[in-house]
Amino acid sequence: MSSHGHRTIRMFNVLHISCLEDVHTSVSWAAERPLLSVHIFTPEIRNVAGRKYLSLWREITGSTLVTMSKRRSLTEAQCVSLAQKLLRERLCHQKLPDRPLALDSQYKHLLELLRRTAVHGESNSVLIVGPRGSGKTMLLGCVLRELMSLKEAQKNVLLVELNGLLQTDDKIALKEITRQLHLENVVGDKVFGSFAENLAFLLEALKKGDKSSSRPVVFVLDEFDLFAHHKNQTLLYNLLDVSQSAQTPVAVLGLTCRLDVLELLEKRVKSRFSHRQIHLFSSLSFAQYVDAVRSQLSLPPDFPDPKFSDAWNHSVTKLCEEKSVEEILRRHFNSSKDFRSLHSLLFLSVSRVSVSHSTLHEADLLEASRLISADSKAIILHGLSILELCLIIAMKHLNDTYDGEPFNFQMVHNEFKKFIQRKSHSIHKFEKPVVMKAFEHLLQLELVRPVDSGVCKVQREYQLMRLMLEHGQVMEALQRYPQCPTDVKQWALSAFA
Amino acid sequence: MSRYITRLRMRRTYKWNGRPVGEDRKLKRKYYESMSISVEGKTEDATVSSGQYILIEGDDDDNPFVAQLHKLYTDDSGKKKTAVVQWFVRMCEVPQNKRKLLGRDPHPQEIFFYQDRSCDNEVDGETILGAVQIEYVPAENSFPEGKSKDILFVKLLWDTKSFKALDPELMQPPQSPKSPPPSSRGPQTRALPTPDLSVMKRAMSGTLTRGSMSTGKMNSSEAESLHSASKLSAAKALSAKRRSRASSGPHVRKKLDLCSPTKNVSRDDVLGEILDEHTEKTLTSKLNTSPTGRISISIRLTPLNLNEEERVFPLSSHSPDKPKLTAHDKDDATRARTPSRRKDSAALREPALAALAEEEHEDSPIQTAATPRSKRKSAQLVSSRIRKQLNVLGNKVDRLSDGDDDDDCFIPTKTDLQSSSDEEEEAKIDSEDELIVKKRRGSRTPRSTEKTRVTARTPRKTPIKKTAPATPRTPRHATPSIPSRSAPARKPGNVLEEARARLHVSSVPESLPCREQEFQDIYNFVESKVIDGTGGCMYISGVPGTGKTATVHEVVRSLQQSAEQDEIPHFHFIEINGMKMTDPHQAYVQILQKLTDQKATPDHAAALLEKRFSAPAPKKETTVLLVDELDLLWTRKQNVMYNLFDWPTRRNARLVVLTIANTMDLPERIMINRVASRLGLTRMSFQPYTFKQLQQIITSRLNRVKAFEEDALQLVSRKVAALSGDARRCLDICRRATEICEHSGSQKNGSGLVGMSHVMEALDEMFSSSYIAAIRCASVQEQLFLRAVIAEFRRLGLEEATFQQVFVQHQALCRVEGLQPVSVSEGLAVCQRLGSCRLLLLEGSRLDLFLRIRLNVSQDDVLYALKAD
């Protein structure tokens, strides 16, 4: 498990290195966010905890309720596996907590707002703004769960969920709204009609409703800022216009991480927005952070095997008090306060637990932290050949000499030749094509990148390049490189070649 | 399926039968006994003569107007054929709210004798479709069974207020066919339609009758768009009527006592009045009758003129077939003196008009075929069957071409949606036949090549088109609606909730305070246009939230109220919003749909509207069109805007266009000259509300619900007035303040009113910048990074740096702060996090070390936020 996990992480890091941060964001976004509705609207809303654990238990052991109740205690392996399953669900499936942490006032505000829409038929619009991972979706999920447990709201509220990354223009968004509302131009799963017809149909439908008799509709617009980039902001205008006129009661909830989102709105759209913003800035102190870690790792009191869970919880409490663990957490806390990065740290450490190793140890966290904070490029450097490494060093010297000006292959080659001639003992001479090949490999890894001049006619040897590595990264990689020849190390350390 | 499509394009030709039976030298009219209508491609001509019941072309092709023909005459130019008629109405033309007065379900073939003095009873002779059979049924008898579908029954009389028993005497034509009308005139060109003297005279004579169009079958889905079609067509008639009303007693409206029609005379009114006086004078002098002019022309008799005279008047021909009367020149001179510029413009537009008219007449023969001209039932049956068939064919052609015009509207759905309003027979045609017909026609349509090109370009749509019958279809009667809730919404419980409900922007206030002047201006403008039966444009501008749309709605509401009370003629209000459509050309579609409930593609809709607004339709009510968010109707050629502003200038359009946009100088900025010129100079600008006005708005909304302290209200309104003057903002803040008050109220027991502190809190929430809070709550590394950015900016003396440069600073700062330096990956992650909440502006992260960084907040703000930490 652990070695497999390690490889995955490594691959993941490689992906990271290629600096597709945006892609990464959306990919991980999709991976991390299972559909809200799954959590909220399954019948197990009230989370009859026992039943849930039972089904988990059944999954693991294949035995039935009766046999379990007869035996009472589980084997250690089963316990570990059950505990892992629970924790994993908590850490990566974004299971909603019972109560959002440290967001009480926001929770109350939003709940009250939605309750008024559901019960009184009052239209509202609100933006939930907070950095990534600050718990916007979680907050909304909790609020909706609470709202749906209200008797008055339960059967009355229609929910429409849109996401700026999925509904990339108004046409798609309209179809999706129509589909989720099950309006009458939906047959099966298909929405009929052109864009214009759909818009007219939806507006007509919303217009026909009135405050007291039609069911309120809650529109959730995730990645709200992306909707503002749609043509003319038609969708936003219309939704907000409905929210400001005596039509079907709607609540328009926008979720975004952009603080300047209001500036994106056109002035007539902006005027129709109620300017209600709920900001989620975590003002968490470190002590609270550690508490959160503890509660995230603890097993619930209704865990089938109380003995195991007691032992586990005890070990977790002890773990959190340890100095080195505190240091790791402090480092994470300094880097980012959001829970999502914390979850990935804890997830990695929980994955290391096994039957032979049935409680969390300091080493697990340490290893997880090392994996998470490892520099992705330094890891790639470890996989380079000596020749490639030498070229990197040559480039580093060129960078030092020419103060970051771009270089070309010929310059790198000259630098390398100088080193071979003057100082090298362990490295024999390479043919130029071989060096070129190594250079191209670096190019493929995007450790060097051509300066974007757009001129293709330049010979490959003379094409201008930049090194995509920091000074520190090169030095660190050299330190850790297995069996690095000392003369190469010395060459790297020498101020000027 | 749209009805107008169903008609085949055929031409009707009208000619007089026999010689004029009489002549009115004063009015320069020649009266005829009958007129024959020949349809191209048919050997038999239909003949209509005085006393017969006729069908007259109207807006709705399936249900043409019904009338009894009283007189037929031409005026001096010899081109223009005019018919004097007695109108009948169908049930669907009776205003919806009055229908229940009948007290029973109307017979599907029932029509009513129409008695309304304000209705123009002269129509263009060339709108006559043919004869129809009408039977009088005494009030106590039941409707005869088993008669042909084409016979209409008349039992009662409708006088716009109530249904009354009809005296069969009224059904007789006012004069025997052999006693010709008093005067006659030569034919008149079609280029110069209505306002002929007879109309003006009739308007003054006070013996006006009114009617509205009729339908063969009751088609309730269309009734709404048709009801109470006013039959006034000449402005003079209306203004005369208005004057008579004004003399009979001032009609006073709430808060509008000042603007009773005699007083609120706009420019157009004055012109109308002058015109009236002028024509009155000329008329009286000509007629040599009593100066009041209240004498009916029908008393005068002239010798019979029985010479057969056959003339064919091709519609597009301009050659004036002048009869030999010397009086013509005189009359021409008189007409030249009446300063009607509109006539000239109509003449200039003639080619276009003629083209349209031609189309319209080509369309019609099916209608004629359907009219029970031949009395034999079998023939009627056959003809109706043919018509059905042709309808189907015609529809297919149009449907296909529609698809070509606009690929936004894909066909099957449209058909289905439209078919909901179709006749039953249409629905019965099974889809297989449809497909065959479609294919056959498709290959014959001239546009088929274009079509294949289009489909080749968008292959995705092809299968849908072809397999239309196979794909699951949209429910036929898809009605747009939101399901209703199980229990009605709860009513507000306490004072604060009540206040909140009242303060919600959506709640419709009893009155609109602070916009009295604007209200008055718009009201006067629209009212005068409606009363005159003319058209016009108005441009209203103002920043968002200044009550533009609300004021216009309020105006329309009060106008509708007075129309209800018959103080002004009925009008049709429709509204489009540039933001509520996907494309500027959809404006046509929406207007057409709201006017007539038809669906069409944008191009087609444009053509139909063009026809509707330029055709000299005999009876029409004024249309008031509100165009919100005008700037979004901008296209490169600006043809949407052009049309919107051009239609009101058409003589028979009777269209009032009110346009709303945000910027005052929109006409100058984005419109090309010919568009801006048509928009005209009737402009109005809504100023942002001042704090006093805002305060008044809130107070009036609260309407004695005591929820706010005075100071608190003043604070809100001053703050908002200083920022934007947006009433919506003001109301939202107040609403938020009540919430805050409610929450804090549960903790400490205050006065229960919303006070200063609550308002301050609400203002803070809405207006304070969140950047500083965001920086304060950022993690240590993020704060350090911001600091590093500023340090690097200072070092470089620029407001931009690459990530690499900042990262070096960041490392150094980490060491200073005694923190473990972060790796590049982590640093980049920190940087991205700041970028995603837009504290920093970043380039794409592909650039890695070389991505450039800028601050989105001022350096001072950052330093302030970090220092206070």
Side-chain angles (χ1 to χ4, degrees):
Chain A
M1 171 68 210
S2 125
S3 75
H4 177 72
H6 191 253
R7 193 173 310 138
T8 328
I9 295 309
R10 247 188 119 135
M11 277 163 60
F12 178 75
N13 277 333
V14 172
L15 180 73
H16 195 115
I17 289 158
S18 60
C19 289
L20 298 165
E21 186 70 32
D22 296 336
V23 176
H24 164 218
T25 322
S26 51
V27 167
S28 62
W29 186 93
E32 283 165 15
R33 256 172 255 213
L35 282 179
L36 248 181
S37 49
V38 175
H39 289 301
I40 303 158
F41 302 109
T42 42
E44 289 88 5
I45 292 174
R46 242 64 70 70
N47 195 356
V48 187
R51 215 197 312 164
K52 196 154 191 184
Y53 295 126
L54 201 71
S55 68
L56 275 176
W57 158 248
R58 227 179 265 150
E59 238 173 79
I60 296 159
T61 61
S63 61
T64 60
L65 175 69
V66 186
T67 55
M68 191 200 86
S69 62
K70 269 181 193 163
R71 272 195 295 175
R72 283 312 304 161
S73 67
L74 317 172
T75 64
E76 176 130 5
Q78 284 164 343
C79 284
V80 168
S81 143
L82 188 56
Q84 260 186 333
K85 196 145 195 163
L86 270 173
L87 291 177
R88 242 181 267 147
E89 187 173 339
R90 193 184 284 165
L91 297 176
C92 24
H93 287 197
Q94 303 255 313
K95 194 172 145 290
L96 293 177
D98 295 335
R99 187 88 186 168
L101 189 70
L103 295 172
D104 266 349
S105 68
Q106 288 96 330
Y107 180 80
K108 254 189 229 156
H109 185 175
L110 191 59
L111 179 64
E112 177 60 19
L113 201 74
L114 287 182
R115 200 185 58 76
R116 280 207 309 271
T117 303
V119 177
H120 294 279
E122 179 187 303
S123 292
N124 275 311
S125 50
V126 66
L127 272 178
I128 306 173
V129 186
R132 293 210 181 275
S134 57
K136 304 180 287 293
T137 311
M138 185 267 295
L139 174 72
L140 181 62
C142 290
V143 168
L144 285 175
R145 182 180 59 189
E146 171 98 29
L147 185 75
M148 292 305 169
S149 67
L150 287 178
K151 211 169 178 196
E152 275 172 303
Q154 213 165 22
K155 292 243 170 60
N156 281 333
V157 179
L158 296 166
L159 185 74
V160 175
E161 290 181 310
L162 303 175
N163 191 309
L165 290 168
L166 299 176
Q167 281 79 40
T168 48
D169 64 23
D170 282 347
K171 193 173 174 176
I172 306 172
L174 270 176
K175 288 214 167 183
E176 185 63 20
I177 293 174
T178 318
R179 200 183 60 74
Q180 291 192 22
L181 282 178
H182 298 292
L183 293 185
E184 286 188 28
N185 56 351
V186 180
V187 175
D189 226 14
K190 272 216 153 95
V191 181
F192 281 92
S194 66
F195 180 24
E197 281 169 342
N198 283 338
L199 179 66
F201 197 86
L202 178 69
L203 291 179
E204 189 60 29
L206 290 172
K207 202 174 172 183
K208 270 195 185 163
D210 71 359
K211 193 176 165 181
S212 63
S213 70
S214 39
R215 293 170 73 172
V217 188
V218 176
F219 288 94
V220 177
L221 308 179
D222 213 338
E223 310 291 331
F224 182 84
D225 47 314
L226 295 179
F227 286 96
H229 292 125
H230 294 181
K231 190 190 160 211
N232 285 348
Q233 306 187 342
T234 309
L235 182 75
L236 292 185
Y237 177 91
N238 285 311
L239 288 184
L240 294 174
D241 194 50
V242 170
S243 84
Q244 299 249 313
S245 48
Q247 303 180 5
T248 304
V250 296
V252 181
L253 309 179
L255 274 64
T256 181
C257 61
R258 285 185 67 162
L259 297 170
D260 62 347
V261 64
L262 280 187
E263 290 156 38
L264 296 176
L265 298 178
E266 229 188 300
K267 58 179 189 269
R268 54 190 147 209
V269 181
K270 194 173 167 181
S271 166
R272 280 167 174 79
F273 170 60
S274 71
H275 278 58
R276 218 183 267 270
Q277 293 188 62
I278 298 178
H279 287 285
L280 304 187
F281 297 127
S282 80
S283 47
L284 223 54
S285 68
F286 182 65
Q288 284 171 309
Y289 190 77
V290 176
D291 274 350
V293 172
R294 193 180 302 124
S295 67
Q296 291 281 325
L297 285 177
S298 304
L299 290 175
D302 51 0
F303 191 77
D305 191 336
K307 225 172 88 190
F308 179 83
S309 78
D310 281 351
W312 173 276
N313 289 349
H314 185 67
S315 77
V316 166
T317 317
K318 277 195 94 177
L319 188 74
C320 291
E321 281 159 7
E322 269 179 64
K323 192 90 181 137
S324 58
V325 172
E326 197 189 301
E327 214 164 89
I328 293 166
L329 292 178
R330 167 79 70 179
R331 194 179 143 82
H332 262 267
F333 177 73
N334 281 346
S335 166
S336 94
K337 286 178 178 175
D338 72 59
F339 280 100
R340 200 172 294 156
S341 67
L342 174 66
H343 282 169
S344 58
L345 174 79
L346 298 181
F347 170 66
L348 285 175
S349 31
V350 168
S351 306
R352 291 169 62 87
V353 174
S354 64
V355 183
S356 58
H357 176 91
S358 66
T359 47
L360 267 181
H361 290 294
E362 186 194 335
D364 300 332
L365 260 154
L366 215 64
E367 177 63 17
S369 158
R370 198 184 59 75
L371 279 175
I372 281 192
S373 59
D375 186 56
S376 42
K377 279 184 184 166
I379 295 171
I380 294 189
L381 286 177
H382 288 183
L384 294 181
S385 68
I386 294 287
L387 172 60
E388 285 158 349
L389 202 63
C390 287
L391 290 182
I392 295 272
I393 294 167
M395 289 180 221
K396 188 198 79 119
H397 281 310
L398 283 172
N399 256 354
D400 289 344
T401 324
Y402 298 108
D403 197 23
E405 286 297 304
F407 47 82
N408 59 29
F409 170 71
Q410 201 55 50
M411 292 161 78
V412 177
H413 188 60
N414 288 344
E415 194 73 23
F416 178 61
K417 266 202 299 199
K418 266 195 271 174
F419 163 65
I420 299 274
Q421 280 162 7
R422 274 189 279 159
K423 295 175 187 164
S424 167
H425 314 291
S426 56
I427 298 175
H428 47 82
K429 214 178 158 190
F430 288 98
E431 294 295 318
K432 195 175 173 185
V434 177
V435 181
M436 184 70 187
K437 185 84 182 164
F439 187 78
E440 276 179 353
H441 187 222
L442 294 179
L443 198 63
Q444 274 176 348
L445 290 172
E446 290 202 328
L447 292 175
V448 274
R449 214 187 273 176
V451 176
D452 219 70
S453 55
V455 190
C456 314
K457 283 171 188 167
V458 185
Q459 261 184 312
R460 268 189 305 182
E461 291 92 321
Y462 302 106
Q463 206 176 357
L464 288 178
M465 300 283 177
R466 272 184 208 279
L467 180 64
M468 304 304 283
L469 288 169
E470 251 293 295
H471 192 275
Q473 284 174 303
V474 179
M475 301 318 284
E476 195 201 331
L478 273 177
Q479 293 305 319
R480 299 220 185 140
Y481 195 86
Q483 287 131 34
C484 184
T486 34
D487 46 353
V488 175
K489 268 189 191 170
Q490 272 168 1
W491 177 43
L493 287 172
S494 64
F496 288 98
Chain B
M1 255 160 285
S2 333
R3 228 140 259 108
Y4 49 85
I5 305 172
T6 63
R7 286 186 288 168
L8 269 200
R9 317 231 148 157
M10 273 155 85
R11 177 192 293 258
R12 272 177 293 156
T13 320
Y14 296 84
K15 57 186 177 189
W16 297 121
N17 280 344
R19 303 184 62 82
V21 292
E23 193 172 347
D24 184 335
R25 282 176 195 280
K26 289 273 161 34
L27 286 169
K28 303 213 172 74
R29 289 172 172 178
K30 283 187 174 182
Y31 289 84
Y32 288 87
E33 174 57 23
S34 65
M35 181 170 73
S36 66
I37 306 163
S38 62
V39 179
E40 202 175 69
K42 295 198 79 178
T43 48
E44 210 179 321
D45 285 2
T47 311
V48 291
S49 50
S50 305
Q52 239 185 336
Y53 301 101
I54 52 169
L55 292 175
I56 294 173
E57 186 179 352
D59 301 328
D60 179 3
D61 292 336
D62 270 5
N63 298 318
F65 300 133
V66 182
Q68 185 178 27
L69 184 61
H70 283 182
K71 271 171 263 174
L72 281 167
Y73 65 85
T74 72
D75 50 19
D76 60 335
S77 61
K79 283 285 168 209
K80 166 95 179 158
K81 301 183 179 64
T82 311
V84 180
V85 296
Q86 163 61 47
W87 292 108
F88 289 86
V89 283
R90 297 176 195 242
M91 194 54 172
C92 55
E93 296 165 52
V94 176
Q96 207 127 36
N97 52 353
K98 305 259 170 84
R99 288 185 196 171
K100 55 181 181 293
L101 292 176
L102 184 60
R104 59 175 166 88
D105 287 336
H107 189 272
Q109 283 151 261
E110 186 174 8
I111 56 171
F112 305 95
F113 188 86
Y114 190 72
Q115 198 171 48
D116 181 6
R117 307 188 147 239
S118 62
C119 183
D120 178 16
N121 59 356
E122 300 202 9
V123 295
D124 184 346
E126 298 189 350
T127 58
I128 297 176
L129 294 171
V132 69
Q133 202 180 341
I134 296 185
E135 268 184 29
Y136 171 71
V137 182
E140 60 277 5
N141 293 11
S142 59
F143 291 100
E145 296 292 328
K147 295 260 187 168
S148 156
K149 288 264 185 221
D150 293 313
I151 297 177
L152 299 172
F153 301 112
V154 60
K155 198 176 204 176
L156 296 174
L157 172 148
W158 168 248
D159 65 354
T160 72
K161 298 271 190 298
S162 60
F163 293 98
K164 288 177 186 154
L166 170 63
D167 179 9
E169 286 297 305
L170 281 172
M171 294 277 286
Q172 300 308 314
Q175 72 221 40
S176 79
K178 290 294 160 202
S179 65
S183 60
S184 70
R185 301 163 84 182
Q188 193 185 29
T189 49
R190 199 177 143 71
L192 301 171
T194 14
D196 41 24
L197 293 171
S198 66
V199 176
M200 301 167 191
K201 214 173 103 187
R202 235 144 251 278
M204 286 175 286
S205 71
T207 56
L208 295 167
T209 46
R210 185 201 250 217
S212 52
M213 46 189 253
S214 328
T215 33
K217 288 171 205 76
M218 281 314 192
N219 199 336
S220 58
S221 70
E222 297 196 13
E224 224 175 280
S225 64
L226 299 177
H227 79 82
S228 79
S230 159
K231 285 176 181 171
L232 300 164
S233 69
K236 280 77 204 178
L238 276 162
S239 50
K241 191 181 112 211
R242 208 183 69 215
R243 249 184 299 151
S244 71
R245 277 225 185 101
S247 59
S248 69
H251 77 281
V252 189
R253 287 194 22 71
K254 67 155 190 176
K255 350 183 242 183
L256 291 170
D257 329 40
L258 290 175
C259 58
S260 85
T262 34
K263 281 177 192 166
N264 61 59
V265 193
S266 74
R267 223 176 11 188
D268 301 68
D269 276 14
V270 176
L271 188 69
E273 219 106 21
I274 292 167
L275 259 170
D276 280 347
E277 268 165 32
H278 180 75
T279 41
E280 197 173 349
K281 246 180 263 165
T282 47
L283 272 177
T284 45
S285 62
K286 274 167 160 279
L287 284 167
N288 284 331
T289 49
S290 68
T292 51
R294 281 177 191 276
I295 236 170
S296 165
I297 43 162
S298 57
I299 328 160
R300 298 172 124 245
L301 295 176
T302 40
L304 295 176
N305 198 345
L306 289 166
N307 287 356
E308 288 276 38
E309 195 178 272
E310 288 197 10
R311 281 199 205 128
V312 181
F313 299 115
L315 289 159
S316 49
S317 146
H318 287 261
S319 62
D321 214 67
K322 284 212 172 184
K324 56 276 161 188
L325 286 174
T326 47
H328 291 171
D329 301 339
K330 204 168 111 197
D331 185 50
D332 279 346
T334 341
R335 296 236 254 100
R337 267 193 289 137
T338 54
S340 89
R341 275 192 317 171
R342 274 174 296 165
K343 248 182 235 168
D344 300 337
S345 64
L348 283 174
R349 251 200 325 275
E350 170 66 13
L353 274 178
L356 273 167
E358 208 168 289
E359 205 176 282
E360 155 191 335
H361 285 275
E362 276 166 7
D363 279 352
S364 43
I366 290 184
Q367 228 61 31
T368 338
T371 54
R373 193 188 52 220
S374 67
K375 299 256 159 40
R376 284 176 306 148
K377 277 188 181 175
S378 59
Q380 282 169 20
L381 248 166
V382 170
S383 70
S384 75
R385 206 171 293 153
I386 292 171
R387 180 174 47 142
K388 259 186 246 167
Q389 202 62 34
L390 288 173
N391 278 356
V392 176
L393 294 178
N395 290 340
K396 293 301 164 265
V397 176
D398 277 298
R399 249 185 253 164
L400 286 174
S401 58
D402 286 355
D404 295 339
D405 293 341
D406 175 33
D407 32 20
D408 255 351
C409 299
F410 81 83
I411 280 82
T413 323
K414 191 162 73 73
T415 331
D416 291 337
L417 289 175
Q418 285 170 352
S419 63
S420 63
S421 65
D422 271 336
E423 296 169 56
E424 296 168 335
E425 23 184 307
E426 281 291 335
K428 279 180 204 154
I429 299 164
D430 68 17
S431 50
E432 215 173 275
D433 284 355
E434 265 180 55
L435 190 68
I436 294 165
V437 169
K438 195 161 105 189
K439 274 179 184 161
R440 203 172 59 218
R441 297 293 301 186
S443 61
R444 272 199 289 168
T445 36
R447 285 190 230 175
S448 58
T449 47
E450 192 184 316
K451 189 199 165 210
T452 47
R453 190 159 47 76
V454 171
T455 39
R457 204 180 55 212
T458 56
R460 190 171 47 80
K461 271 168 191 152
T462 329
I464 305 174
K465 268 181 196 167
K466 292 283 187 251
T467 61
T471 48
R473 301 192 137 206
T474 316
R476 293 211 152 218
H477 302 279
T479 44
S481 64
I482 298 287
S484 53
R485 51 190 298 153
S486 50
R490 210 192 278 167
K491 292 274 174 287
N494 57 33
V495 177
L496 284 174
E497 278 179 10
E498 172 76 24
R500 203 152 50 222
R502 284 171 175 278
L503 286 174
H504 198 284
V505 186
S506 72
S507 74
V508 182
E510 290 92 5
S511 67
L512 274 181
C514 313
R515 287 294 179 219
E516 286 85 5
Q517 187 52 49
E518 287 85 354
F519 177 92
Q520 199 66 69
D521 289 353
I522 302 174
Y523 188 95
N524 292 351
F525 178 81
V526 180
E527 192 197 33
S528 68
K529 299 287 176 200
V530 168
I531 289 175
D532 288 351
T534 53
C537 298
M538 185 175 203
Y539 177 73
I540 301 165
S541 64
V543 293
T546 46
K548 302 178 293 295
T549 313
T551 307
V552 172
H553 278 154
E554 182 76 9
V555 166
V556 169
R557 240 190 329 272
S558 14
L559 280 171
Q560 266 162 348
Q561 246 166 41
S562 48
E564 249 351 56
Q565 293 154 14
D566 287 323
E567 282 160 9
I568 60 165
H570 280 274
F571 63 93
H572 197 144
F573 174 66
I574 51 178
E575 184 184 3
I576 58 168
N577 187 323
M579 274 298 224
K580 294 187 177 172
M581 53 188 72
T582 53
D583 169 278
H585 296 279
Q586 288 291 327
Y588 298 129
V589 179
Q590 296 201 358
I591 295 173
L592 185 74
Q593 198 190 356
K594 284 172 182 164
L595 267 179
T596 64
D597 226 8
Q598 294 167 337
K599 285 208 169 191
T601 56
D603 287 355
H604 199 129
L608 289 169
L609 287 172
E610 174 79 27
K611 178 189 150 193
R612 187 189 166 92
F613 288 123
S614 48
K619 23 185 174 167
K620 239 196 265 174
E621 56 185 359
T622 302
T623 307
V624 178
L625 172 64
L626 169 61
V627 184
D628 216 337
E629 313 292 357
L630 177 72
D631 49 332
L632 283 161
L633 294 184
W634 187 89
T635 52
R636 210 167 46 78
K637 282 184 165 177
Q638 310 201 351
N639 43 7
V640 178
M641 283 186 185
Y642 178 85
N643 277 332
L644 281 180
F645 302 142
D646 192 41
W647 289 332
T649 63
R650 305 284 165 83
R651 94 167 308 151
N652 287 308
R654 308 188 64 179
L655 177 67
V656 182
V657 178
L658 303 172
T659 56
I660 297 181
N662 289 142
T663 39
M664 194 151 69
D665 57 346
L666 189 81
E668 284 74 33
R669 269 194 312 125
I670 70 166
M671 292 183 197
I672 48 180
N673 287 339
R674 61 194 164 99
V675 176
S677 139
R678 274 168 178 79
L679 172 58
L681 292 168
T682 321
R683 306 225 182 132
M684 176 177 291
S685 160
F686 278 61
Q687 296 305 316
Y689 289 112
T690 62
F691 85 91
K692 273 190 182 141
Q693 289 174 322
L694 288 172
Q695 204 170 344
Q696 199 184 334
I697 288 170
I698 305 173
T699 323
S700 83
R701 281 219 178 210
L702 286 173
N703 193 18
R704 272 180 260 131
V705 172
K706 184 72 185 150
F708 279 82
E709 284 170 16
E710 270 311 306
D711 295 348
L713 277 189
Q714 191 162 354
L715 177 68
V716 176
S717 29
R718 275 186 190 275
K719 190 88 183 176
V720 173
L723 280 164
S724 60
D726 185 338
R728 291 197 187 104
R729 194 72 327 99
C730 197
L731 294 171
D732 282 333
I733 293 169
C734 290
R735 224 151 53 83
R736 177 70 189 129
T738 59
E739 283 168 27
I740 295 171
C741 173
E742 199 166 43
H743 282 291
S744 64
S746 57
Q747 291 151 17
K748 60 177 170 61
N749 207 357
S751 58
L753 294 183
V754 181
M756 287 292 263
S757 60
H758 305 125
V759 168
M760 284 299 276
E761 203 180 325
L763 282 169
D764 257 13
E765 259 180 38
M766 290 195 177
F767 290 118
S768 69
S769 155
S770 50
Y771 287 111
I772 289 173
I775 295 171
R776 279 187 190 159
C777 292
S779 71
V780 177
Q781 293 289 356
E782 285 161 359
Q783 290 178 345
L784 268 189
F785 195 85
L786 284 174
R787 212 172 273 176
V789 170
I790 290 180
E792 187 62 21
F793 284 176
R794 294 223 169 125
R795 191 181 73 82
L796 292 171
L798 290 170
E799 290 281 289
E800 190 177 279
T802 64
F803 173 73
Q804 194 169 24
Q805 292 165 325
V806 177
F807 186 69
V808 172
Q809 291 280 351
H810 185 78
Q811 296 284 48
L813 275 173
C814 276
R815 269 179 229 116
V816 170
E817 296 284 323
L819 295 167
Q820 202 180 343
V822 294
S823 66
V824 180
S825 295
E826 281 176 297
L828 206 53
V830 166
C831 177
Q832 291 290 351
R833 270 203 296 276
L834 292 172
S836 73
C837 40
R838 289 297 187 279
L839 284 168
L840 297 179
L841 295 175
L842 303 178
E843 281 184 310
S845 54
R846 231 188 98 74
L847 292 168
D848 200 5
L849 288 181
F850 298 103
L851 74 87
R852 277 174 295 185
I853 295 172
R854 277 186 188 182
L855 268 180
N856 198 23
V857 210
S858 78
Q859 294 192 13
D860 294 338
D861 280 0
V862 177
L863 290 177
Y864 168 75
L866 292 175
K867 200 171 285 170
D869 210 22

